[in-house]
Amino acid sequence: MISTRQLKQALTWAIASPNLLVREANRLYHTRGYRRSFNHDGIDVVAEDWDTLIVLDACRYDLFAERSTLPGTLRARESRAAHTSEFIRGNFHERDLTDTVYVTASPILQRGYPERYNPAFHAVVNVWQEDGWDAEYNSVHPETMVEYALDAAEQYPQKRLVVHFMQPHYPFIASDTKLDKQTVPDPTEITTDIWNEMMYKSADIDPETIVDAYRANFDLVVPYVQQLLDELSGKTVVTSDHGNMLGERSWPLPIREWGHPPGVYTPELVRVPWLEYESGPRRTIVAEPPESDTADVEDDVVRDRLRQLGYAE
């Protein structure tokens, strides 16, 4: 049943852009009338066999299959998510993950902790905090992620590692164009990202330029993933939390969709890579009580990072 809040939001979207209203109608269909908070047809990544899980944020399967040079066995899997928030809720929420350390460039877990997401990780390494944040690009550089991931592997030799890169997710730090600066009049007051600008049809940018920038962000991260494959022992899986729409038709209402709206489970959004690679001995995994409180981060820092990554409040 649609709530009063959802009805008011739908009316707001109808005024702002009919496209957003149609998107919400598609979301209503995919989530079975908002009764599902993630894609229940997707795989449970925690239950899969791996020592290290490398997550490339917003990486489509076809992009990976076409451009990846990484070794290993690749196949497509269905994700539980069209958005990082759904990936976390569908895989980590209220789970005993005391054998796992989460090294992340994304602030999404922190934004919803503990009301929406309450996983029991042994430790969470928030790379997006001050030391790991690149203020020039409003993101976390993949080189920084490698440093933190290798430090975590050394510090926690008996834990599974989840290493969550930001790329190829927007902002497009590998692009020659400043797409992340072109989407709003004042880049210091970011309230949206390029995908919503395309949905509003207010972005004065050629769509192919955006697609090329997205591909370049993927090409940027690949060598750093290769470095982790070279240096981490055991079984590593490279996957994505969700894909990304690049102007394809959504369904059941065939609107051209951009980005990765939660609750819209098109193939472009839920079909993700699953690359398995083994090198050296497997880790001996031991569960231990959580090391620290995940909530120990200031709210304004979290909001700031999400805004800079293009997530509206």
Side-chain angles (χ1 to χ4, degrees):
M1 182 176 179
I2 300 177
S3 67
T4 301
R5 181 190 65 80
Q6 289 165 333
L7 181 59
K8 289 181 179 179
Q9 182 67 76
L11 291 174
T12 300
W13 284 326
I15 295 171
S17 170
N19 284 352
L20 298 183
L21 182 61
V22 176
R23 170 191 280 177
E24 193 61 22
N26 284 337
R27 179 182 287 122
L28 182 67
Y29 172 84
H30 286 278
T31 60
R32 312 282 178 87
Y34 305 117
R35 291 192 298 272
R36 291 187 171 184
S37 58
F38 61 89
N39 174 28
H40 288 235
D41 296 328
I43 63 167
D44 177 0
V45 299
V46 172
E48 296 292 319
D49 179 34
W50 47 265
D51 298 311
T52 301
L53 183 74
I54 297 176
V55 179
L56 304 181
D57 205 304
C59 183
R60 294 164 55 126
Y61 171 77
D62 57 357
L63 173 72
F64 192 101
E66 176 187 351
R67 303 180 77 87
S68 172
T69 57
L70 299 172
T73 302
L74 175 64
R75 55 180 164 152
R77 303 295 295 272
E78 184 168 350
S79 174
R80 290 188 166 187
H83 191 277
T84 305
S85 60
E86 295 179 323
F87 180 78
I88 291 172
R89 185 166 185 84
N91 292 289
F92 302 153
H93 179 54
E94 295 186 342
R95 302 283 291 271
D96 180 357
L97 301 169
T98 52
D99 65 350
T100 304
V101 173
Y102 184 38
V103 183
T104 180
S106 172
I108 294 292
L109 170 63
Q110 197 65 53
R111 188 65 176 124
Y113 181 87
E115 292 81 11
R116 293 183 63 196
Y117 326 118
N118 193 13
F121 286 109
H122 175 67
V124 175
V125 181
N126 287 316
V127 185
W128 50 268
Q129 292 191 68
E130 297 301 329
D131 290 344
W133 186 256
D134 190 323
E136 178 183 358
Y137 293 109
N138 289 330
S139 189
V140 176
H141 196 280
E143 180 180 9
T144 307
M145 283 298 298
V146 169
E147 294 172 4
Y148 276 80
L150 293 177
D151 285 347
E154 183 176 354
Q155 184 177 354
Y156 305 102
Q158 293 184 313
K159 298 292 179 286
R160 299 172 105 192
L161 289 183
V162 178
V163 183
H164 190 151
F165 285 86
M166 204 66 236
Q167 292 74 35
H169 190 284
Y170 168 97
F172 302 127
I173 67 176
S175 174
D176 292 333
T177 60
K178 294 292 185 181
L179 291 177
D180 53 324
K181 306 302 182 187
Q182 290 182 358
T183 58
V184 287
D186 183 351
T188 65
E189 298 180 359
I190 299 170
T191 59
T192 186
D193 63 11
I194 188 62
W195 311 121
N196 277 327
E197 292 297 309
M198 294 300 290
M199 290 298 292
Y200 277 102
K201 296 185 177 181
S202 59
D204 187 20
I205 302 171
D206 178 63
E208 192 57 35
T209 300
I210 299 170
V211 174
D212 287 344
Y214 173 64
R215 292 171 179 155
N217 243 24
F218 174 78
D219 294 342
L220 172 72
V221 76
V222 168
Y224 297 101
V225 177
Q226 179 67 66
Q227 185 177 346
L228 290 184
L229 295 182
D230 292 340
E231 299 196 33
L232 294 177
S233 179
K235 182 175 182 179
T236 299
V237 168
V238 184
T239 188
S240 180
D241 49 353
H242 55 80
N244 204 96
M245 296 287 282
L246 299 172
E248 298 93 351
R249 296 285 182 183
S250 186
W251 57 275
L253 300 179
I255 186 176
R256 289 201 180 277
E257 182 64 80
W258 293 88
H260 49 89
V264 179
Y265 306 133
T266 63
E268 294 84 0
L269 288 176
V270 299
R271 192 167 185 250
V272 296
W274 189 267
L275 179 77
E276 297 183 355
Y277 178 76
E278 292 195 47
S279 176
R282 298 290 300 268
R283 270 179 237 145
T284 300
I285 305 299
V286 178
E288 295 179 284
E291 197 174 69
S292 61
D293 186 357
T294 305
D296 190 22
V297 181
E298 294 182 12
D299 284 346
D300 59 344
V301 175
V302 179
R303 285 194 297 269
D304 225 29
R305 296 292 182 262
L306 288 170
R307 177 181 63 81
Q308 291 164 328
L309 289 167
Y311 294 100
E313 289 290 326

